Amino acid sequence: MTQPDVVIRRHRTGPVRSFAAYSPCEAYRYVLSRRWAAGPALLYVMLNPSTATEFANDPTIERCERRARALGYAGLGVVNLFAYRAKRPEDLMRAEDPVGPLNEAAIRLALRRADGVLCAWGSHGSHRGQDARLLSLLRQSGRPLLHLGLTKSGAPRHPLYVAYARSPEAWTG
């Protein structure tokens, strides 16, 4: 990714350093990260970004951060099957290009920095076959893949709807 292709934003609140990469039009968010200490980082691979930014968490990122902290991680990264920013899956499904031109490159880079990968895209990940395409990339990374339970269709559950008491388990996909 070159600078003209992405808008990089950083923010710091106390010990927490945040980073986000957006498309110039801001219709896509390719990566979001939070780092609160030195140590391992957990990468979440979810469906699509919503309203979280380098400045503020949305409900999903808030739960992801709390879970990562409780599991002993020193930071988290978030990438998505689709980089298109939408609050509702219906809006994502209607987007002309929901993936975004730099999403795969951002995921590859985030995987290199992750110590564990929590797959959590829910039942809509099969849109345009994106879950299968990226699951292959995730497996090739050599990082341990985790999930918080599976939907009826076998997709990894979204963390917003999973109790904190549920521990991540190994996932072969």
Side-chain angles (χ1 to χ4, degrees):
M1 289 187 284
T2 63
Q3 192 63 28
D5 298 322
V6 296
V7 174
I8 305 293
R9 295 198 183 120
R10 291 178 171 81
H11 180 71
R12 186 176 192 131
T13 303
V16 180
R17 297 182 320 256
S18 299
F19 169 92
Y22 303 92
S23 63
C25 65
E26 296 189 18
Y28 301 96
R29 188 190 75 210
Y30 296 112
V31 65
L32 179 69
S33 71
R34 306 276 191 254
R35 175 62 76 164
W36 47 88
L42 179 63
L43 179 66
Y44 286 85
V45 182
M46 294 191 284
L47 184 65
N48 72 295
S50 181
T51 59
T53 67
E54 67 280 5
F55 297 107
N57 290 345
D58 61 13
T60 297
I61 300 303
E62 182 65 32
R63 285 188 70 89
C64 290
E65 184 173 331
R66 285 183 187 198
R67 186 179 303 275
R69 286 175 182 265
L71 292 169
Y73 286 93
L76 67 86
V78 179
V79 293
N80 295 277
L81 299 184
F82 304 96
Y84 184 73
R85 297 173 78 190
K87 288 185 180 180
R88 302 175 332 168
E90 298 81 28
D91 296 334
L92 173 73
M93 302 303 166
R94 286 193 294 267
E96 186 176 319
D97 178 13
V99 175
L102 298 175
N103 199 40
E104 187 174 321
I107 292 170
R108 286 180 187 278
L109 184 60
L111 282 167
R112 282 184 266 174
R113 297 177 175 167
D115 297 288
V117 178
L118 188 85
C119 300
W121 50 79
S123 60
H124 296 289
S126 61
H127 180 58
R128 297 189 181 190
Q130 188 67 353
D131 56 351
R133 188 170 20 266
L134 284 185
L135 188 54
S136 174
L137 179 115
L138 298 175
R139 284 189 196 120
Q140 291 170 15
S141 76
R143 300 293 190 267
L145 301 183
L146 306 166
H147 71 87
L148 294 169
L150 302 174
T151 65
K152 289 180 184 177
S153 66
R157 291 199 180 282
H158 191 280
L160 188 59
Y161 311 113
V162 178
Y164 289 117
R166 177 78 186 242
S167 295
E169 345 177 353
W171 189 46
T172 58

